[in-house]
Amino acid sequence: MGFDGLNRPELVAQDPVLAFKTAIWFWMTPQNPKPSCHDVMQGLYRPSAADMAAGRVAGYGLTTNIINGGLECNSGTPQAQQLDRIGFYKRYCDVFGVSYGDNLDCAKQQSY
């Protein structure tokens, strides 16, 4: 991306264009064993046997698992921050007239 992110990660917080580039890169790029959030939300993701056994199926909840699964997933019930995020997601789905889809949280998914 044209910057030394390993030695100068603070540049992402200081440069809005760089922040946008890194966010898009993260959204679009799979990080094995995680799929990309883009593939999940576009219906391109196909869960592996390990994903199925871990309860990781397509939907908005899987994007939470990809981004922040170690902190938010496998809790049994959705946490407050997940419920807030799901509320925002539903609001924007309503604005755009699109379906929420299934699997809105990762409470029953093992994290990656």
Side-chain angles (χ1 to χ4, degrees):
M1 290 199 199
F3 81 107
D4 185 359
L6 292 177
N7 293 311
R8 304 261 341 260
E10 72 278 0
L11 294 175
V12 175
Q14 297 169 355
D15 182 341
V17 172
L18 191 54
F20 184 78
K21 286 179 179 181
T22 57
I24 293 296
W25 176 86
F26 184 85
W27 185 261
M28 299 297 294
T29 306
Q31 300 296 313
N32 196 28
K34 300 176 185 182
S36 72
C37 293
H38 176 79
D39 285 354
V40 170
M41 295 306 289
Q42 290 299 308
L44 303 172
Y45 161 75
R46 299 293 175 258
S48 68
D51 287 330
M52 295 296 288
R56 296 186 295 251
V57 295
Y60 183 70
L62 187 57
T63 65
T64 300
N65 195 333
I66 293 166
I67 295 167
N68 213 20
L71 297 174
E72 296 188 32
C73 299
N74 204 25
S75 62
T77 58
Q79 299 174 7
Q81 67 265 29
Q82 285 187 58
L83 295 174
D84 286 346
R85 196 176 307 111
I86 290 166
F88 292 124
Y89 172 74
K90 286 181 170 182
R91 181 182 184 291
Y92 283 102
C93 286
D94 290 342
V95 166
F96 291 115
V98 298
S99 168
Y100 309 146
D102 297 321
N103 184 33
L104 296 180
D105 66 74
C106 65
K108 294 186 171 110
Q109 299 176 23
Q110 292 177 11
S111 62
Y112 281 97

